């Protein structure tokens, strides 16, 4: 798959979520599908990283928070710096997130980043 095809696949899975109005449920649903795909097709890891990196760079909901949760949930330590920059941008108000929910998004991003730093590289 290309990065764009992978992104289209992720969007398709998100639309099929059993609770599309719940971000956390949708992200977990996508994480389960991605984990399964990456076990079956380990060569897709680089494409998955590229897709998540592009979503993190958007600095908007739902893509960036989905990417942050997926990075932590799938143990993509390669995205630590990207997630750290996302957190800095949220805290500085340089994102497209709802400014009234800055503390919420910053806390979520911080928790995902902490999870990534708790993973010891093999």
């Amino acid at each position: 798959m290309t990065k764009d095809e992978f992104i289209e696949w992720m969007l398709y899975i998100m639309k099929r979520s059993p609770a599309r109005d719940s971000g956390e449920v949708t992200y977990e649903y996508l994480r389960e599908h991605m984990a399964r795909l990456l076990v079956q097709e380990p060569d897709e890891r680089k494409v998955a990283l590229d897709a998540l990196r592009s979503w993190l760079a958007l600095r908007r909901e739902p893509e960036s928070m989905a990417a942050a949760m997926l990075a932590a949930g799938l143990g993509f330590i390669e995205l630590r710096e990207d997630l750290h920059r996302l957190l800095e941008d949220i805290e500085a108000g340089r994102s497209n997130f709802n400014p009234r929910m800055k503390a919420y998004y910053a806390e979520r991003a911080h928790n995902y980043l902490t999870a990534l730093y708790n993973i010891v590289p093999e």
Side-chain angles (χ1 to χ4, degrees):
M1 262 191 271
T2 67
K3 177 183 81 170
D4 291 337
E5 290 170 337
F6 201 92
I7 289 171
E8 286 300 316
W9 176 82
M10 290 191 305
L11 290 169
Y12 171 76
I13 296 298
M14 289 175 75
K15 287 179 186 171
R16 294 182 56 222
S17 170
R20 288 181 24 207
D21 58 338
S22 168
E24 295 302 313
V25 171
T26 298
Y27 304 161
E28 180 58 24
Y29 184 72
L30 179 56
R31 188 202 61 76
E32 290 170 4
H33 279 75
M34 283 183 70
R36 237 178 291 146
L37 174 72
L38 294 172
V39 166
Q40 295 169 357
E41 301 288 339
D43 292 342
E44 295 294 331
R45 182 180 172 87
K46 183 184 178 327
V47 175
L49 285 167
D50 290 344
L52 294 181
R53 187 167 276 128
S54 71
W55 272 14
L56 286 169
L58 294 175
R59 303 293 194 260
R60 70 176 185 222
E61 179 69 26
E63 295 93 340
S64 296
M65 292 312 291
M69 181 273 192
L70 292 165
L74 296 169
F76 286 175
I77 60 174
E78 300 92 334
L79 296 175
R80 285 175 178 163
E81 289 303 314
D82 300 85
L83 194 49
H84 191 265
R85 284 191 298 276
L86 172 66
L87 176 58
E88 288 175 339
D89 285 352
I90 291 170
E91 290 175 335
R94 295 185 305 260
S95 70
N96 297 314
F97 295 109
N98 181 338
R100 286 176 278 191
M101 296 190 63
K102 181 171 88 170
Y104 169 79
Y105 288 118
E107 180 182 3
R108 302 297 302 169
H110 179 268
N111 291 343
Y112 296 141
L113 186 58
T114 299
L116 281 178
Y117 274 105
N118 285 330
I119 298 171
V120 178
E122 295 179 10

